[in-house]
Amino acid sequence: MKIKILKKREELKKENNILVPIFEEQIENQKFTTLLPFLTPSKKSTLRELVKKWSFKAKKGELFQFDYEDNKELKTLFLYGLGKKDKFKLIGFKRAMSQSFRALSNKKLSEYSIFVPWTTKSWKLDSVLAKVYLATALTNYKFDKYIKKDKEKVELKEVSIFINALHEKFKDSEVKKMVKENKIIADAVENSRNLLNETPMNMYPEVLKDSVLELFKGRKGVKAKVMDFEEIKSKGMNLLAAVGMGSDKKPYFVELSYKSDKKGAKTLSLVGKGLTYDAGGYSLKSAQHMVGMHMDMGGSALMIGVMDVITNYKLDFNVNCYLVIAENLISGSAYKVSDVITGYGKKSVEILNTDAEGRLALADGIAYACDKGTDKLIEASTLTGAVLSALGQEVAGIVANNDNFVKNFKESYEKTEEKFWQLPAEENYKKLIKSKIADLKNLGGPYAGTITAGLFLNEFITENVEFMHLDIAGAAMLAEDIDFYNMGGSGFGIQALSHFILKGKVFN
Ligand code: BES
Ligand code: ZN
Ligand code: ZN
């Protein structure tokens, strides 16, 4: 699907299907037709009558279809309700626009235009365009490579966008730049979703590692380094090695580094869980819980997406990304419950459940990242089922060692309309991960599973490093389409984190 930007209001006249997001007040006061310059006066009055007849109120999510003839051509206008204008906020507009996209999905359109005819205070083209563009580009996704093509199906080929008169006020080159920036995000999300959706038969540690190398091959300013199983062991990353050694397909550790030109630049590290499959190991998952466990590389898919976006820009801090890639299976060489293992962070861990493998692999990734040197560290993982019980599929959990770091991130996830919620890094729960025979145990007991997992990871953070753990176990792969996220791999978090790194206050 192509996304085109219209430059002039007049161009709308040529469009065949136009979608107009509209407020209740505008319908109530009957003046809404003045917003629709492409309709003749008689069409406007017909539309007003029909809207009244069918009592279209522009309530949130309400769709009204008006078919009319223009110069012997059949055209369609869709009015899409946004609810009350006095309650409207720019934050939320992206979700509303993706809902409008879904509302049109059964209309069998091959193209349509989005026309935003009104304006609000503090209306800036770049942020509004970003919302409309991403709502369209991200909602359009489908993972259908394993489904036979339906030749009858009408494919949506093009969506055009015109936002009030704002486009007219900007130079072509400026609009082009905005589109380019959003396309970078949309493409990164799509790639990340594809990685996550790929079936486990075709997506195992080596494939994930190769996909990363391929993606960043020749990328300016980015260096990639790979450690294989032997190197992982020789470096002392015994936790990652243990998690991955039960599979014939051995683990990898991938390091991507972006170096800033700035002298004395600070460093942000990103760490992602990359379990291409999590069967649980000897603490085997039930048949029901194993379904979909190829999504356990969601943290890596997220960080790959973020690196994919941010490395298109010049930054004044360094960004290192570490991916711990493995498969958690059963075999004669798999690690066992009651093993005690010391990894890169030099703390011994008693294994009480081989299904709590993510924190083990990540402990090595985090310890390594800190050893390499970092000022701040953000780690993302599909780490606990408990986060699903606590926050469901739409909100990811945060456990952090610094509240200010989270506060600064909040601005970015709110602006990009991605949802996170901070859980307390409760000091008193630290005792839950202490072992009687080792420094730590990988099981925190029956309660507060997301917090104890986060506290476990925090044990491998060196002093003065600000740390934020993102548990995306619920949000990374969805059972249903939700707004601009699609069923399956969602690409959750890429927009928020990229915004944080490019426009937010990681270092402030
Ligand atoms: N990968 C899972 C977490 C998960 C659960 C992701 C559901 C997506 C959906 C993780 O490795 C795991 O198995 N965690 C265990 C930890 C427990 C044994 C302490 C869990 O949450 O049950
Ligand atoms: Zn597990
Ligand atoms: Zn897992």
Side-chain angles (χ1 to χ4, degrees):
M1 184 195 64
K2 220 182 119 202
I3 300 184
K4 197 171 85 182
I5 304 295
L6 300 181
K7 300 204 180 69
K8 298 224 169 338
R9 206 183 275 249
E10 293 80 70
E11 285 181 84
L12 283 167
K13 286 210 167 65
K14 286 185 240 138
E15 300 297 315
N16 293 318
N17 311 297
I18 303 180
L19 174 104
V20 178
I22 205 146
F23 296 107
E24 287 182 38
E25 289 89 333
Q26 289 165 332
I27 296 292
E28 247 161 49
N29 69 20
Q30 293 268 314
K31 285 194 192 132
F32 66 97
T33 47
T34 58
L35 298 169
L36 311 169
F38 45 87
L39 293 182
T40 60
S42 76
K43 294 276 166 351
K44 284 182 184 178
S45 85
T46 315
L47 175 61
R48 273 196 303 270
E49 277 164 36
L50 285 171
V51 157
K52 212 167 176 184
K53 179 176 172 204
W54 297 107
S55 53
F56 172 71
K57 299 265 190 287
K59 293 218 178 302
K60 227 171 163 209
E62 211 185 339
L63 183 70
F64 185 84
Q65 180 169 345
F66 175 53
D67 297 314
Y68 61 100
E69 215 186 289
D70 182 20
N71 273 335
K72 302 222 163 63
E73 266 185 284
L74 269 180
K75 303 211 165 187
T76 305
L77 166 71
F78 296 100
L79 298 176
Y80 185 77
L82 293 178
K84 290 245 187 270
K85 188 165 189 183
D86 62 357
K87 293 216 177 88
F88 176 79
K89 287 199 191 87
L90 187 56
I91 292 175
F93 190 45
K94 194 199 284 184
R95 286 187 183 255
M97 289 315 291
S98 60
Q99 286 157 11
S100 77
F101 184 97
R102 294 200 190 282
L104 292 194
S105 65
N106 62 356
K107 302 283 177 194
K108 299 190 174 159
L109 304 175
S110 62
E111 41 92 16
Y112 77 94
S113 309
I114 299 166
F115 172 43
V116 186
W118 37 266
T119 194
T120 77
K121 278 185 277 168
S122 70
W123 201 236
K124 283 201 204 98
L125 183 61
D126 55 350
S127 47
V128 182
L129 186 64
K131 291 198 182 281
V132 180
Y133 186 100
L134 289 173
T136 309
L138 299 181
T139 315
N140 183 50
Y141 179 85
K142 232 181 195 77
F143 183 70
D144 54 6
K145 67 185 269 200
Y146 292 112
I147 300 174
K148 215 165 93 198
K149 277 258 168 322
D150 178 0
K151 289 198 190 95
E152 314 269 281
K153 203 176 150 232
V154 183
E155 229 187 285
L156 181 63
K157 294 213 176 77
E158 187 174 276
V159 175
S160 321
I161 301 173
F162 184 81
I163 298 165
N164 190 21
L166 283 175
H167 291 164
E168 286 164 351
K169 287 192 201 135
F170 282 79
K171 283 197 211 119
D172 269 7
S173 58
E174 289 172 306
V175 175
K176 242 192 194 142
K177 188 171 158 257
M178 292 176 204
V179 170
K180 197 176 149 204
E181 285 177 2
N182 288 300
K183 189 168 184 318
I184 287 171
I185 297 172
D187 289 349
V189 171
E190 179 175 339
N191 182 60
S192 174
R193 287 173 174 173
N194 285 340
L195 291 176
L196 203 50
N197 283 328
E198 188 51 84
T199 55
M201 168 90 70
N202 297 327
M203 177 55 70
Y204 45 87
E206 192 182 358
V207 179
L208 180 54
K209 176 259 305 179
D210 286 341
S211 317
V212 178
L213 293 183
E214 180 64 31
L215 183 63
F216 291 95
K217 198 166 75 188
R219 186 79 61 107
K220 244 180 98 192
V222 185
K223 273 202 196 118
K225 217 178 106 184
V226 173
M227 281 185 216
D228 64 10
F229 188 44
E230 291 311 314
E231 240 184 309
I232 287 170
K233 284 189 289 186
S234 74
K235 282 269 181 334
M237 300 175 110
N238 303 316
L239 289 163
L240 172 60
V243 168
M245 71 192 183
S247 171
D248 289 343
K249 307 205 164 76
K250 296 292 185 261
Y252 284 95
F253 183 73
V254 175
E255 192 178 337
L256 293 168
S257 43
Y258 164 87
K259 205 160 168 36
S260 168
D261 294 341
K262 194 182 148 192
K263 266 214 182 103
K266 295 206 162 151
T267 301
L268 167 72
S269 294
L270 307 173
V271 181
K273 175 175 174 183
L275 267 285
T276 57
Y277 201 75
D278 179 14
Y282 276 101
S283 310
L284 190 63
K285 284 188 187 293
S286 67
Q288 183 197 352
H289 285 115
M290 214 182 288
V291 177
M293 271 306 145
H294 60 304
M295 59 79 85
D296 214 14
M297 42 173 279
S300 273
L302 163 52
M303 293 314 188
I304 291 164
V306 172
M307 289 302 283
D308 195 7
V309 174
I310 64 167
T311 54
N312 284 283
Y313 301 90
K314 249 179 145 40
L315 297 173
D316 57 9
F317 49 89
N318 307 319
V319 184
N320 294 334
C321 175
Y322 304 92
L323 308 173
V324 290
I325 302 177
E327 245 178 12
N328 188 21
L329 301 184
I330 287 178
S331 77
S333 48
Y335 77 135
K336 303 170 201 76
V337 173
S338 291
D339 275 333
V340 173
I341 305 166
T342 303
Y344 197 87
K346 299 281 187 291
K347 289 186 179 175
S348 60
V349 184
E350 179 189 11
I351 310 299
L352 287 178
N353 190 315
T354 60
D355 196 14
E357 85 299 336
R359 66 196 74 185
L360 303 174
L362 288 164
D364 275 347
I366 288 171
Y368 186 88
C370 288
D371 192 37
K372 279 262 147 164
T374 195
D375 298 284
K376 309 210 177 199
L377 192 149
I378 305 173
E379 168 277 329
S381 48
T382 48
L383 202 61
T384 64
V387 85
L388 270 145
S389 307
L391 301 173
Q393 289 224 281
E394 299 202 33
V395 184
I398 303 180
V399 180
N401 70 1
N402 184 300
D403 290 344
N404 208 38
F405 196 20
V406 181
K407 205 173 125 222
N408 288 337
F409 178 47
K410 187 171 187 222
E411 208 178 291
S412 289
Y413 69 70
E414 284 186 346
K415 279 195 172 144
T416 52
E417 300 184 32
E418 298 211 272
K419 298 179 187 177
F420 289 83
W421 194 259
Q422 187 185 6
L423 303 168
E426 178 53 51
E427 276 291 321
N428 283 354
Y429 293 170
K430 288 188 175 168
K431 59 179 178 283
L432 300 175
I433 49 168
K434 295 275 181 267
S435 159
K436 291 201 173 91
I437 60 159
D439 300 324
L440 296 165
K441 57 180 169 142
N442 79 333
L443 201 61
Y447 309 125
T450 304
I451 296 174
T452 51
L455 292 174
F456 181 93
L457 298 177
N458 193 232
E459 290 290 325
F460 297 88
I461 293 283
T462 51
E463 235 178 276
N464 300 326
V465 174
E466 288 181 20
F467 170 57
M468 186 153 63
H469 154 62
L470 311 177
D471 194 336
I472 56 166
M477 183 164 280
L478 301 175
E480 305 275 347
D481 297 336
I482 300 172
D483 298 341
F484 48 79
Y485 303 116
N486 282 72
M487 192 203 78
S490 65
F492 180 94
I494 296 175
Q495 298 167 79
L497 267 186
S498 303
H499 185 280
F500 188 38
I501 293 169
L502 295 174
K503 299 184 180 164
K505 300 176 194 149
V506 176
F507 294 100
N508 67 331

